[in-house]
Amino acid sequence: MLKLYDGGLEVASILKEWYTEESTSNYGAFIPFVGTIRDEDGIDGLSFDIYEPLLEKWFEAWVAKAKEQGAIIKMAHSRGDVLLHESSYIASVFSPKRRVALEFIDAFVEDFKASAPIWKYDLKNGERIYALERSTAIEGSGLLA
Amino acid sequence: MLKLYDGGLEVASILKEWYTEESTSNYGAFIPFVGTIRDEDGIDGLSFDIYEPLLEKWFEAWVAKAKEQGAIIKMAHSRGDVLLHESSYIASVFSPKRRVALEFIDAFVEDFKASAPIWKYDLKNGERIYALERSTAIEGSGLLA
Amino acid sequence: MIRVEFLGPIQKDALALDITNLRALATILQATPDMKEWLENSAIAVNDTLVTTLDFPLKDGDKVSMLPPVCGG
Amino acid sequence: MIRVEFLGPIQKDALALDITNLRALATILQATPDMKEWLENSAIAVNDTLVTTLDFPLKDGDKVSMLPPVCGG
């Protein structure tokens, strides 16, 4: 389950929804990762562009990896502007046993940061500034250089 | 924050409470781990005994470890009987950055399983049966043998 | 016709080009002003699948996307 | 007097003993029926701190706890 929202996420209600959806699925471990906009570097917030077709393909590949381990994943992300102390990202895994869940959430979140086609901008003094220095080139970049 | 509850945990409301409490604390990452009772081996549920004085000491030692990394932890656990598909355990970490949170939740949950003074019983046919084979001897056990 | 899209922070309108592989696209973009840095740090997808070889063949109607460095979350 | 508590699944009432170290407690419990397995798999805390040496001195009013294998969560 991948869902994109305009603006900041309603974290408590999303977590409640996911937990309730799987309340009788017999998963012993549920681990959400919640990412929240920090007040730093004088920003007013962050803004996100998402290339949805590729994000969905990336996510489906992780759904398949999860399935191999008897696990499922759910993810939510913001589009557009997200203000300070609002949350823009929730990734989560449900699995029968804890080790799978603990290892999966780590690998999933790290690959998300390295590969998911989402671009981040600082909102500062009314401008939207691409956060190049905090961004990661996708594996295989530079093919056309 | 360590809180013990009689019976199953109200997961959605606890997560909402914790998230809300830290909503302006400027933590960029929040990771809860939720443990839920699986329907397996014909059990009707699980039951827990807790030795609270030592659990609190164990928890305070982890609070101090978290503080060294700029993080905080919150934990909830059930006392007594918890039925199938109810949750008995939530551990969580808030930290400025994601790597600390991802590594901390893993170490914290694993040490909890190995060291926290909590005893688990299967509820089966009206009996309360100590789950010895799934339990772990605390480090240093056998001193008096 | 091949459609070439520039995603995220790359401020450039999409192109429609008559080319049959990525090598031709590389030649064209290398000659385009202000593209050098993006060419170095961007990945390439054809029809929403990442590709890793310049010899990747393109056929009429294909969509090529240029993906600069990412930072979700 | 030292109070000795048996936690969790160990079905045994607390003891009040006149002893000055854990070595004496070990001797007493080793002679107690049905305690062998618990002695092998249990940890020992004195005043709610885990201890790892039999020479740990005990003083009047101390509480010794015997902690069998745990499984929270």
Side-chain angles (χ1 to χ4, degrees):
Chain A
M1 217 273 324
L2 164 63
K3 197 160 172 191
L4 304 177
Y5 294 81
D6 293 321
L9 303 177
E10 294 286 343
V11 171
S13 75
I14 291 170
L15 293 178
K16 179 176 186 170
E17 184 184 319
W18 293 354
Y19 179 75
T20 305
E21 280 168 3
E22 305 306 329
S23 64
T24 59
S25 307
N26 218 27
Y27 294 114
F30 168 42
I31 309 181
F33 174 101
V34 180
T36 299
I37 311 300
R38 300 189 69 215
D39 183 357
E40 60 184 350
D41 304 326
I43 61 168
D44 301 311
L46 297 175
S47 190
F48 298 92
D49 286 343
I50 302 180
Y51 184 52
E52 299 186 20
L54 199 60
L55 181 65
E56 277 157 24
K57 283 203 175 185
W58 172 86
F59 186 76
E60 287 310 316
W62 275 97
V63 167
K65 281 190 215 185
K67 195 174 180 183
E68 281 171 22
Q69 306 212 48
I72 63 165
I73 52 176
K74 295 176 192 265
M75 187 175 116
H77 201 286
S78 297
R79 270 189 292 241
D81 296 357
V82 185
L83 303 184
L84 294 184
H85 305 312
E86 291 185 337
S87 299
S88 54
Y89 176 47
I90 315 178
S92 73
V93 57
F94 291 83
S95 78
K97 299 283 184 181
R98 80 175 183 285
R99 273 315 313 159
V100 165
L102 285 165
E103 287 165 25
F104 211 89
I105 194 69
D106 191 326
F108 180 47
V109 167
E110 289 299 323
D111 188 55
F112 169 83
K113 296 297 284 188
S115 309
I118 302 179
W119 296 278
K120 180 179 282 178
Y121 304 82
D122 290 334
L123 297 175
K124 214 168 177 172
N125 308 321
E127 283 187 283
R128 191 173 189 257
I129 306 157
Y130 175 50
L132 173 62
E133 73 290 346
R134 307 203 296 285
S135 300
T136 305
I138 295 172
E139 206 180 320
S141 286
L143 184 67
L144 300 192
Chain B
M1 217 267 330
L2 165 62
K3 197 160 173 189
L4 304 177
Y5 295 81
D6 293 323
L9 303 178
E10 295 287 343
V11 171
S13 74
I14 291 171
L15 293 179
K16 180 177 185 170
E17 184 184 317
W18 293 354
Y19 178 76
T20 305
E21 281 168 2
E22 306 306 328
S23 64
T24 59
S25 307
N26 218 26
Y27 294 114
F30 168 42
I31 308 181
F33 174 100
V34 180
T36 299
I37 312 300
R38 301 189 69 214
D39 183 358
E40 59 184 353
D41 303 327
I43 62 169
D44 303 311
L46 297 175
S47 190
F48 298 92
D49 286 343
I50 300 180
Y51 184 52
E52 299 186 20
L54 199 59
L55 181 64
E56 276 157 25
K57 283 203 175 188
W58 172 86
F59 187 77
E60 288 309 316
W62 275 96
V63 167
K65 280 189 217 187
K67 195 172 178 184
E68 281 171 21
Q69 307 212 48
I72 63 167
I73 53 176
K74 295 176 192 263
M75 188 175 116
H77 201 286
S78 297
R79 269 189 292 241
D81 296 357
V82 185
L83 302 183
L84 294 185
H85 306 311
E86 291 185 337
S87 298
S88 54
Y89 176 47
I90 316 178
S92 73
V93 57
F94 291 82
S95 78
K97 299 283 183 181
R98 81 174 183 283
R99 274 311 319 154
V100 165
L102 286 164
E103 287 165 26
F104 211 89
I105 194 70
D106 191 325
F108 180 47
V109 167
E110 289 299 324
D111 188 55
F112 169 83
K113 297 298 285 189
S115 309
I118 301 179
W119 295 278
K120 180 180 283 179
Y121 305 82
D122 288 335
L123 297 174
K124 214 166 177 173
N125 308 320
E127 283 188 284
R128 190 173 190 259
I129 306 156
Y130 175 49
L132 173 61
E133 72 292 345
R134 307 203 295 286
S135 300
T136 305
I138 294 172
E139 205 180 319
S141 286
L143 184 66
L144 300 191
Chain C
M1 202 69 83
I2 308 298
R3 182 178 167 82
V4 183
E5 294 180 345
F6 302 89
L7 300 180
I10 312 179
Q11 302 281 332
K12 187 169 168 56
D13 291 338
L15 301 175
L17 298 173
D18 257 326
I19 52 177
T20 58
N21 62 48
L22 288 176
R23 207 172 288 279
L25 178 59
T27 303
I28 292 166
L29 292 179
Q30 284 165 14
T32 303
D34 301 326
M35 285 301 293
K36 185 172 160 49
E37 194 188 350
W38 296 124
L39 290 174
E40 284 167 0
N41 65 18
S42 293
I44 303 299
V46 176
N47 301 329
D48 300 326
T49 297
L50 291 169
V51 296
T52 53
T53 170
L54 279 179
D55 296 317
F56 200 91
L58 298 174
K59 60 181 191 306
D60 190 41
D62 278 356
K63 175 177 67 173
V64 177
S65 309
M66 194 160 159
L67 299 107
V70 297
C71 189
Chain D
M1 202 70 84
I2 308 297
R3 180 179 169 82
V4 182
E5 294 180 347
F6 302 88
L7 300 180
I10 311 179
Q11 302 280 332
K12 187 168 170 55
D13 291 337
L15 301 175
L17 297 173
D18 257 325
I19 51 177
T20 56
N21 61 48
L22 288 176
R23 207 172 289 280
L25 178 59
T27 304
I28 292 166
L29 293 179
Q30 284 165 14
T32 304
D34 300 327
M35 284 302 292
K36 185 173 161 48
E37 194 187 350
W38 294 124
L39 291 173
E40 285 167 0
N41 66 17
S42 294
I44 304 299
V46 176
N47 301 330
D48 300 327
T49 296
L50 291 169
V51 297
T52 53
T53 171
L54 278 178
D55 295 317
F56 199 93
L58 299 174
K59 59 182 191 307
D60 189 40
D62 278 355
K63 175 177 69 172
V64 177
S65 309
M66 194 159 160
L67 300 107
V70 297
C71 189

